[in-house]
Amino acid sequence: MRTEAVVVGAGPAGLLAARELARRGVEVRVFEEHAVIGEPNHCAGILSVEGLKRLQVEPSQDFIQHEIKGGTVYSPDGTTIQITSSRTRAYIVDRAVFDRYLADIARREGASIEIGRRIEELTVQDGRISGVAGKDFTVPTDIVIDCEGAGGFLVRRLKIFRPLEEILVGVNVEVSGVDLEPHMVEVWLGEELASGFFGWVVPTGERTARCGLACSSGDARERLRTFLRRRFGEVEFTEPLMWPVLTGGPVGRTFSDGLLLAGDVAGQTKPTTGGGVILGGLCAIDAGRIAAEAVEEGDFSSSFLSRYEKSWRDALGNEFSAMLTARRFVNKIKDRRMDRLINALKHAGLEDTLERMVDQGDMDMQREVIRSALKHPGLLKVLAGSLGRLVLGELRAIFNL
Ligand SMILES: Cc1cc2nc3c(=O)[nH]c(=O)nc-3n(C[C@H](O)[C@H](O)[C@H](O)COP(=O)(O)OP(=O)(O)OC[C@H]3O[C@@H](n4cnc5c(N)ncnc54)[C@H](O)[C@@H]3O)c2cc1C
């Protein structure tokens, strides 16, 4: 049966796009290949307090497992630096429950969500997307919002979009009966531990945690086992769940005739942390809005839909670029330099400065925090001492400082 709009994928991006379309009175059907929304759950589940507000999702004890006030960074040699905020900065959520919560909201707004229905193909007619097809069904539509996630199987088949870049292998497990600092996330650095990224310990309760890492090379599962032994000694953990972590920033183009891409499939994740629920969700809301306007105008051409790309790039383009620069820069720092840097920060008496920056900074829009760090005289001295003036100069130049 024909519908005004189709969304592929009932992850956060798809569900937020559907909520937006339905709120604006558009008839929308969401297709999800899995039988249960949110499963399997690969995510560490860290969502900023501000981010949820931006997505207009009320924090709820239904999906919140724990609250986070700060973090401890472990350098490769084990030196730690701790940064605590005076307030709750992030929620640790059960992503499967969170996704189902979003599905309920989208349904209440009028979206229809069809689970266990995999889309095999985006159908094309007269050079534009004209619908979707599954194994034994086809659905003609005016506009498709593709939110199929990092796999990107449907989009790859179209061969019109640039593929995602800088894809890491991520792996997550749950552990219990462990000693943790409450309300503090742990970030572990080191090339052997997690080349190109970091390892994390995220408390989900007093003695339970979600632990994982992402890496650009090597066996992620084996690396995680070594990490868990180092952190906890012998500890039991759940079956490791692996999934891509995206650090390359958005793809070059996110629209075509009758089609918009949002969320992981469009690379709309933070290159610094791989987090994609908030920024991908914001882009998806934009996609829903522009798709609704296209329905209103009866114009599904790529020139009309380019408004989507303009809108999210205007709002977030600089943020993605700044975070990508920071990620690439950090990736170039070898372990010995990283040790020197963390040790220098620890002994420079800059904890208050860092805490203030974290307190005032935005976990999702990180550009301003990065810029203010690169302007702070005390931090600059430490950075120059541990990384070298030349390297630091290059970085400051990229940020026009
Ligand atoms: C190890 C790890 C830890 C992470 N931790 C965090 C974190 O702490 N915070 C954060 O913000 N982000 C985190 N992320 C990233 C976050 O999980 C993603 O950015 C987010 O899930 C993207 O949402 P999405 O809706 O675009 O895609 P997804 O959540 O992947 O949803 C896509 C949906 O589409 C469905 N689908 C795919 N193909 C089809 C098809 N052909 N037909 C029908 N349905 C289909 C899938 O089943 C899925 O339900 C993490 C990622 C990993 C791998």
Side-chain angles (χ1 to χ4, degrees):
M1 207 171 54
R2 187 171 186 85
T3 181
E4 284 181 318
V6 161
V7 172
V8 181
L15 294 166
L16 289 164
R19 181 189 71 177
E20 192 64 21
L21 279 157
R23 269 185 185 168
R24 290 168 181 266
V26 175
E27 179 194 28
V28 51
R29 290 169 72 181
V30 182
F31 291 91
E32 167 55 48
E33 65 180 341
H34 290 108
V36 182
I37 289 173
E39 310 278 358
N41 172 11
H42 318 103
C43 183
I46 308 175
L47 303 184
S48 70
V49 172
E50 292 88 354
L52 268 194
K53 259 193 214 136
R54 286 188 174 112
L55 297 181
Q56 299 159 46
V57 176
E58 277 296 313
S60 160
Q61 291 315 312
D62 287 355
F63 57 77
I64 293 175
Q65 298 180 298
H66 203 66
E67 296 189 358
I68 293 298
K69 288 194 165 177
T72 308
V73 179
Y74 290 74
S75 77
D77 71 1
T79 308
T80 58
I81 181 156
Q82 198 167 73
I83 303 163
T84 319
S85 173
S86 55
R87 61 194 165 103
T88 296
R89 295 309 317 269
Y91 301 114
I92 305 305
V93 309
D94 179 327
R95 256 298 298 280
V97 180
F98 177 73
D99 286 13
R100 292 197 279 276
Y101 187 88
L102 293 184
D104 286 344
I105 297 175
R107 277 197 200 97
R108 276 201 299 276
E109 295 287 351
S112 146
I113 302 174
E114 304 180 28
I115 52 176
R117 301 196 93 190
R118 177 176 165 78
I119 300 303
E120 300 287 345
E121 194 188 345
L122 302 175
T123 54
V124 181
Q125 200 176 9
D126 301 330
R128 64 173 294 269
I129 300 300
S130 57
V132 293
K135 228 180 197 154
D136 48 12
F137 63 96
T138 55
V139 181
T141 187
D142 294 319
I143 183 145
V144 175
I145 305 184
D146 184 335
C147 301
E148 65 181 301
F153 160 82
L154 297 170
V155 159
R156 263 202 314 275
R157 285 186 60 179
L158 286 179
K159 296 197 172 105
I160 49 176
F161 296 102
R162 205 182 73 201
L164 292 164
E165 289 171 356
E166 296 170 59
I167 304 173
L168 312 182
V169 179
V171 56
N172 240 338
V173 294
E174 310 274 338
V175 299
S176 53
V178 289
D179 288 330
L180 300 159
E181 179 124 23
H183 308 294
M184 297 293 279
V185 165
E186 295 174 19
V187 173
W188 290 70
L189 304 170
E191 286 159 59
E192 251 180 61
L193 190 142
S195 53
F197 207 67
F198 53 83
W200 57 86
V201 174
V202 174
T204 51
E206 296 232 324
R207 289 176 58 77
T208 55
R210 194 167 292 136
C211 306
L213 57 81
C215 53
S216 54
S217 63
D219 180 341
R221 253 190 275 219
E222 197 42 52
R223 282 180 190 247
L224 181 60
R225 269 188 218 109
T226 311
F227 170 41
L228 292 174
R229 261 198 306 276
R230 175 173 169 197
R231 173 63 181 83
F232 299 112
E234 284 313 311
V235 66
E236 287 197 8
F237 49 88
T238 54
E239 182 63 25
L241 280 174
M242 302 182 55
W243 199 245
V245 168
L246 310 177
T247 61
V251 293
R253 182 185 162 120
T254 54
F255 64 95
S256 174
D257 292 286
L259 178 66
L260 298 175
L261 313 184
D264 271 18
V265 71
Q268 290 159 337
T269 62
K270 293 184 277 185
T272 44
T273 66
V277 173
I278 304 298
L279 296 195
L282 288 173
C283 294
I285 293 171
D286 243 7
R289 176 175 64 83
I290 299 294
E293 286 171 13
V295 170
E296 180 86 24
E297 300 281 321
D299 185 349
F300 307 98
S301 65
S302 69
S303 74
F304 187 93
L305 295 178
S306 66
R307 293 178 189 192
Y308 162 59
E309 177 126 350
K310 177 161 178 6
S311 174
W312 73 256
R313 280 200 196 276
D314 283 353
L316 301 173
N318 285 339
E319 296 295 334
F320 283 122
S321 304
M323 289 187 264
L324 183 58
T325 302
R327 161 54 53 212
R328 287 180 177 161
F329 180 78
V330 171
N331 283 354
K332 281 198 263 179
I333 304 176
K334 298 279 173 215
D335 279 1
R336 270 192 30 223
R337 279 201 171 191
M338 187 58 86
D339 287 333
R340 216 188 304 159
L341 174 61
I342 305 269
N343 273 281
L345 282 173
K346 194 178 171 84
H347 296 112
L350 288 167
E351 283 87 353
D352 286 353
T353 306
L354 290 172
E355 282 185 4
R356 220 175 17 257
M357 279 181 184
V358 169
D359 227 21
Q360 292 161 3
D362 192 314
M363 274 179 65
D364 301 304
M365 313 292 178
Q366 296 172 359
R367 183 167 178 266
E368 234 3 86
V369 184
I370 299 169
R371 281 177 65 86
S372 53
L374 290 174
K375 282 194 288 193
H376 187 277
L379 276 175
L380 274 181
K381 201 168 150 210
V382 170
L383 287 168
S386 10
L387 303 176
R389 283 188 189 285
L390 210 64
V391 181
L392 184 62
E394 274 173 33
L395 186 64
R396 280 172 52 84
I398 299 172
F399 283 94
N400 292 324
L401 294 170

